[in-house]
Amino acid sequence: MTADRIAEIAARVDAASKGPWASPKPGIVEDADGRPIAVFGGCAQDEADATLVIHAADDIRYLLTELARMQEAST
Protein backbone atom coordinates (compact mmCIF):
# COMPACT_ATOMS: atom_id res chain seq x y z
CA MET A 1 0.00 0.00 0.00
CA THR A 2 1.50 3.32 -1.03
CA ALA A 3 1.69 6.47 1.06
CA ASP A 4 -0.48 8.22 -1.54
CA ARG A 5 -3.24 5.62 -1.21
CA ILE A 6 -3.13 5.85 2.58
CA ALA A 7 -3.35 9.66 2.39
CA GLU A 8 -6.34 9.40 0.02
CA ILE A 9 -8.15 7.06 2.41
CA ALA A 10 -7.43 9.35 5.37
CA ALA A 11 -8.68 12.37 3.42
CA ARG A 12 -11.97 10.61 2.60
CA VAL A 13 -12.50 9.71 6.26
CA ASP A 14 -11.73 13.29 7.35
CA ALA A 15 -14.17 14.69 4.75
CA ALA A 16 -17.06 12.45 5.81
CA SER A 17 -19.99 13.69 7.90
CA LYS A 18 -18.99 14.11 11.50
CA GLY A 19 -20.03 11.43 13.96
CA PRO A 20 -21.11 9.80 15.97
CA TRP A 21 -23.40 8.20 13.43
CA ALA A 22 -26.52 6.39 14.60
CA SER A 23 -29.38 4.29 13.31
CA PRO A 24 -32.53 5.52 15.08
CA LYS A 25 -34.76 3.58 12.67
CA PRO A 26 -33.95 0.31 10.92
CA GLY A 27 -32.21 0.92 7.61
CA ILE A 28 -31.43 4.61 8.18
CA VAL A 29 -28.05 5.99 9.29
CA GLU A 30 -27.87 9.58 10.50
CA ASP A 31 -24.96 11.91 11.22
CA ALA A 32 -24.41 13.68 14.55
CA ASP A 33 -26.95 16.37 13.56
CA GLY A 34 -29.68 13.84 12.73
CA ARG A 35 -29.35 14.18 8.95
CA PRO A 36 -29.70 10.93 7.00
CA ILE A 37 -26.45 9.83 5.37
CA ALA A 38 -27.48 6.32 4.31
CA VAL A 39 -30.83 4.69 3.65
CA PHE A 40 -31.05 0.98 3.00
CA GLY A 41 -33.66 -0.94 1.02
CA GLY A 42 -35.86 -2.39 3.75
CA CYS A 43 -34.65 -5.98 4.01
CA ALA A 44 -33.45 -8.21 6.84
CA GLN A 45 -29.81 -7.33 6.05
CA ASP A 46 -30.35 -3.62 6.82
CA GLU A 47 -29.37 -3.80 10.51
CA ALA A 48 -25.99 -5.40 9.77
CA ASP A 49 -25.33 -2.98 6.90
CA ALA A 50 -26.27 0.02 9.03
CA THR A 51 -23.98 -1.22 11.83
CA LEU A 52 -21.10 -1.46 9.36
CA VAL A 53 -21.70 2.09 8.11
CA ILE A 54 -22.12 3.49 11.63
CA HIS A 55 -18.71 2.17 12.66
CA ALA A 56 -16.87 2.60 9.34
CA ALA A 57 -15.19 5.97 9.96
CA ASP A 58 -13.96 5.02 13.45
CA ASP A 59 -12.85 1.58 12.27
CA ILE A 60 -10.91 3.07 9.34
CA ARG A 61 -9.24 5.64 11.60
CA TYR A 62 -8.24 2.82 13.97
CA LEU A 63 -6.81 0.75 11.11
CA LEU A 64 -4.89 3.74 9.73
CA THR A 65 -3.43 4.38 13.19
CA GLU A 66 -2.41 0.73 13.55
CA LEU A 67 -0.89 0.73 10.07
CA ALA A 68 1.16 3.82 10.89
CA ARG A 69 2.28 2.24 14.18
CA MET A 70 3.32 -0.96 12.44
CA GLN A 71 5.14 0.92 9.70
CA GLU A 72 6.98 3.00 12.27
CA ALA A 73 7.94 -0.10 14.26
CA SER A 74 9.37 -1.78 11.16
CA THR A 75 11.74 1.09 10.32
Side-chain angles (χ1 to χ4, degrees), residues 18-67:
K18 300 305 174 207
W21 297 349
S23 183
K25 298 178 217 167
I28 298 175
V29 177
E30 296 179 346
D31 68 10
D33 295 322
R35 293 183 297 253
I37 58 172
V39 178
F40 296 93
C43 69
Q45 185 64 38
D46 288 353
E47 186 175 344
D49 293 344
T51 299
L52 175 69
V53 171
I54 288 167
H55 296 282
D58 288 337
D59 290 349
I60 292 168
R61 283 186 193 99
Y62 171 80
L63 292 171
L64 289 171
T65 299
E66 284 299 299
L67 178 61

